Amino acid sequence: MQPTVEDVARAAGVSRQTVSNVLNAPERVRPQTRARVEAAIAQLGYRPNRLAQGLRAASSRMIGYRIEPVHPHALGSIHDRFLHALADAGRAEDHHLLLYTADDAEGEIAGAVSLYKAGAIDALVLYGLHPGDPRPPALRAHGVPFAAFGRTGDDDGHPWVDVDNTAGTAAATRHLAERGHRRIAFAGWPDGSAVSDRRAEGWREACAGLGLPLGPHLRGEDSLATGAALGARLLEHPDRPTAVVAATDTLAAGLLRTVRARGAELAVVGFDDTPTAAALDLSSVRQPIEAAGRAMISALLNPPLAGPAPADPPLAGGPQAARLLAPELIVRGSSTGTP
């Protein structure tokens, strides 16, 4: 296997950008550092791809990104955190974001193609993918380089980064079971949402592994009002659960509103660990958004031509430059009681 820029950076104890500077703009690098990098290149037998170097030398160093529309019924947007993390990670590699708006997927595709052909961007980041998403195949057909935060189920043709949503809700379900809960419900979005479906899958798998019967699986749009309504349904359910895992903190906060207003007992765990979760003492699954931003930039700046990005954990049979990141359960007062 041919050594990559990352291998050289690791051997020399420098960043990938420093190796790039030694290859493309050596005058920017201190002589001692340059000598160390050159020694690592010689030791590893690294051969830079001259075509890729030429393209990068002429690049705009801009990455395109469509801003998601504001969702007025959601408490806090994970999208905003991801955008900030992506901008920080890009800046560390001397790249920046070019933001644009679009009404729908077709508009996003058209905007990306136009910006790329005009030389305004070098690549694109996609967000919020779903099964059958038209954007990846369209961008590949137009030759626009891109990486995706999320998966469609047909992702072998492009680099992607995702959070292991299934593992997150499985951890939440096991936590509730350890507190003594045996009837655990799930509150999510309507079927067809890749994210919510994977989170529901984690709940189902954990219940099956623990030998627990599945509690009610309620669905609705991601809003406080929906969460409050689902809370009322759970409290009035003939096989009333003692705990619930919610697909988002917004749904979980709505659930808590109903539970606390009625003086009832129902353990609740959300997902995303928004600032609101801490304010409400809500247990929640925290996404590693900062790590996702860094992994996205790495996937864009180190395409398969330069070697695949490592998987975390390794993905058996997965595509190049694919990373699945593990979330973390943050336990607070909303789920620490016993039934």
Side-chain angles (χ1 to χ4, degrees):
M1 181 177 177
Q2 290 294 322
T4 68
V5 171
E6 293 290 347
D7 295 328
V8 174
R10 194 177 302 110
V14 299
S15 69
R16 188 211 61 79
Q17 185 61 49
T18 297
V19 176
S20 178
N21 286 340
V22 169
L23 294 170
N24 300 306
E27 70 280 358
R28 297 182 183 178
V29 185
R30 292 183 301 176
Q32 289 181 334
T33 303
R34 186 168 67 241
R36 193 162 74 248
V37 172
E38 289 172 345
I41 289 172
Q43 178 184 1
L44 294 173
Y46 171 71
R47 291 190 178 90
N49 184 289
R50 296 300 175 186
L51 174 61
Q53 280 187 292
L55 290 173
R56 289 187 182 189
S59 73
S60 67
R61 295 189 175 273
M62 300 297 289
I63 297 168
Y65 188 90
R66 174 201 176 191
I67 302 175
E68 288 276 299
V70 175
H71 300 287
H73 301 297
L75 286 179
S77 176
I78 200 71
H79 168 266
D80 295 340
R81 284 181 54 205
F82 175 69
L83 181 58
H84 191 277
L86 192 67
D88 271 351
R91 183 183 58 173
E93 295 290 349
D94 195 25
H95 282 68
H96 302 280
L97 299 184
L98 191 155
L99 306 179
Y100 69 102
T101 61
D103 294 332
D104 50 28
E106 288 70 25
E108 181 176 2
I109 294 164
V113 172
S114 176
L115 289 168
Y116 181 70
K117 289 184 175 180
I121 62 173
D122 299 330
L124 185 77
V125 167
L126 293 182
Y127 182 90
L129 278 78
H130 55 82
D133 198 310
R135 295 174 295 171
L139 292 174
R140 286 196 293 267
H142 285 285
V144 179
F146 69 95
F149 184 42
R151 290 169 288 164
T152 67
D154 181 18
D155 308 283
D156 289 345
H158 61 267
W160 58 264
V161 177
D162 201 3
V163 173
D164 194 340
N165 292 289
T166 301
T169 48
T173 304
R174 289 193 296 270
H175 158 69
L176 291 168
E178 289 168 0
R179 300 299 303 174
H181 297 279
R182 294 295 176 265
R183 297 187 305 283
I184 304 172
F186 184 81
W189 305 332
D191 288 343
S193 162
V195 171
S196 185
D197 289 352
R198 289 190 180 107
R199 292 177 185 179
E201 180 183 352
W203 161 72
R204 283 192 295 268
E205 289 181 354
C207 285
L210 294 166
L212 301 179
L214 282 180
H217 182 177
L218 304 184
R219 303 168 177 84
E221 67 173 5
D222 190 29
S223 70
L224 278 171
T226 297
L230 296 183
R233 288 174 57 187
L234 288 177
L235 294 178
E236 297 162 4
H237 199 278
D239 187 21
R240 176 176 163 176
T242 61
V244 57
V245 177
T248 67
D249 284 350
T250 299
L251 287 173
L255 285 158
L256 276 179
R257 174 188 288 179
T258 296
V259 169
R260 291 172 177 173
R262 296 191 180 190
E265 295 292 334
L266 184 71
V268 180
V269 179
F271 205 113
D272 290 336
D273 195 35
T274 59
T276 302
L280 295 178
D281 200 22
L282 170 67
S283 295
S284 187
V285 179
R286 177 180 295 167
Q287 297 198 49
I289 293 300
E290 289 70 26
R294 292 191 296 270
M296 290 296 302
I297 295 298
S298 177
L300 286 172
L301 300 187
N302 297 280
L305 187 64
D312 182 18
L315 299 174
Q320 289 185 322
R323 297 195 70 170
L324 190 61
L325 304 176
E328 176 188 6
L329 176 63
I330 306 300
V331 176
R332 299 189 179 94
S334 69
S335 67
T336 55
T338 56

